[in-house]
Amino acid sequence: MQEFTGKAVVVTGAGSGIGRGIAEAFAAAGANLVVAGIDGAPLSAAAAQLQQAYGIEVLPVTTDVSDPDAVESLAEAAYARFDSVAVLCNNAGVATMGAAWEQPLSDWTHTLGVNLYGAVHGIRAFVPRMLAHGGQAHIVNVSSMGGLTPTPQLAPYSASKAAVIGLSLTLREELLALQAPIGVSVVCPGGVKSAIMTGTAARYAAGSLSKQAQENLDRLADVVADGISGDEAGRMIFNAVRDNQFWVLPNAESIIPLVDEEYRDLRKSLNLR
């Protein structure tokens, strides 16, 4: 997919961070946008800024991606406005803190609902429409290095992001079997400047987290603050869509050694060096 002028791109979690960076990258290439997010005010502000900066059409749609009906409504709005969608970026994400056995079921439900089921709902709402339209299209699912390596005190997050990788691998094979002109990318970033850890911290009253959970929250907040910009991540994701690249690894230099270390035991069990 080399040409994006006038094509419609849907981005969830588009108000800030990676989502805003993705929107900027596609807007710079002339694409029209449907930007979705849970908080309407910053979403509308972002839409107005993007429209003014790039002279494109931008449709903001307040959306809770954990709600399948809301995502279906997002798809209906996108297709009513633009007739077709070339790219869907399932980017919205949240995190909760605490040991796997300590986090309440509500935290598990919240995290899996946004991170995993948000992608599932996006695929179920948009892929049938993309197939019916018949043109070139692309699905981007944003996972995390937390889906490839263990992240203590973030079990729901890590579980959801690992599931997104499995979902993306399977979706790619299913679309290939159909010979459908729909590409798939899965993004596994490390530190990217965003509001995710700020939002996580806001869920908890002061002193309510265990010592271990608070230490990991503080450490991850530093990782995010020191990370690459959302714009840089967005450009990498844009390039992956353009080049039909499956794996997208922002921060690859820091991720690869961690993945290599994690799977060393697996290679040993298979008698591999």
Side-chain angles (χ1 to χ4, degrees):
M1 191 182 299
Q2 298 297 311
E3 179 58 53
F4 295 92
T5 302
K7 293 183 178 179
V9 176
V10 178
V11 185
T12 68
S16 63
I18 295 176
R20 177 60 184 268
I22 295 171
E24 290 272 0
F26 280 100
N32 296 316
L33 298 173
V34 181
V35 291
I38 192 69
D39 194 341
L43 189 68
S44 295
Q49 292 166 0
L50 289 163
Q51 188 162 317
Q52 182 176 15
Y54 296 100
I56 58 170
E57 291 188 63
V58 185
L59 173 66
V61 183
T62 304
T63 308
D64 177 359
V65 298
S66 69
D67 179 355
D69 292 335
V71 179
E72 180 64 25
S73 295
L74 172 65
E76 290 173 356
Y79 275 82
R81 179 71 170 268
F82 296 114
D83 295 327
S84 66
V85 169
V87 182
L88 168 67
C89 299
N90 291 311
N91 165 72
V94 296
T96 55
M97 298 298 300
W101 61 92
E102 292 176 340
Q103 292 201 41
L105 186 58
S106 58
D107 280 4
W108 280 92
T109 301
H110 175 60
T111 304
L112 291 168
V114 174
N115 296 358
L116 173 58
Y117 279 97
V120 171
H121 299 328
I123 290 165
R124 295 186 71 250
F126 283 88
V127 170
R129 290 175 166 91
M130 289 175 169
L131 289 169
H133 182 262
Q136 277 192 319
H138 204 97
I139 306 293
V140 176
N141 294 325
V142 177
S143 177
S144 168
M145 68 175 291
L148 294 168
T149 62
T151 311
Q153 309 296 319
L154 281 174
Y157 180 85
S158 293
S160 66
K161 293 302 189 177
V164 167
I165 294 172
L167 171 64
S168 302
L169 286 163
T170 304
L171 177 65
R172 178 184 64 175
E173 295 306 308
E174 291 170 343
L175 292 169
L176 284 171
L178 291 177
Q179 297 184 329
I182 302 175
V184 179
S185 296
V186 64
V187 187
C188 299
V192 179
K193 290 180 174 64
S194 73
I196 187 168
M197 300 317 299
T198 303
T200 302
R203 291 179 61 86
Y204 303 102
S208 64
L209 289 173
S210 69
K211 179 182 178 182
Q212 292 84 355
Q214 186 63 55
E215 287 176 351
N216 273 286
L217 176 59
D218 294 341
R219 178 182 63 81
L220 290 168
D222 289 340
V223 170
V224 168
D226 293 338
I228 65 174
S229 69
D231 286 347
E232 185 176 349
R235 287 191 294 271
M236 292 181 70
I237 293 165
F238 170 84
N239 291 340
V241 173
R242 182 196 61 200
D243 299 337
N244 196 24
Q245 175 185 336
F246 180 75
W247 291 102
V248 188
L249 299 174
N251 326 92
E253 295 82 0
S254 60
I255 292 174
I256 290 172
L258 295 173
V259 174
D260 187 60
E261 179 180 355
E262 182 58 29
Y263 289 96
R264 188 174 300 147
D265 286 344
L266 174 60
R267 292 199 303 273
K268 285 181 180 178
S269 71
L270 297 172
N271 294 319
L272 298 175
R273 293 185 179 180

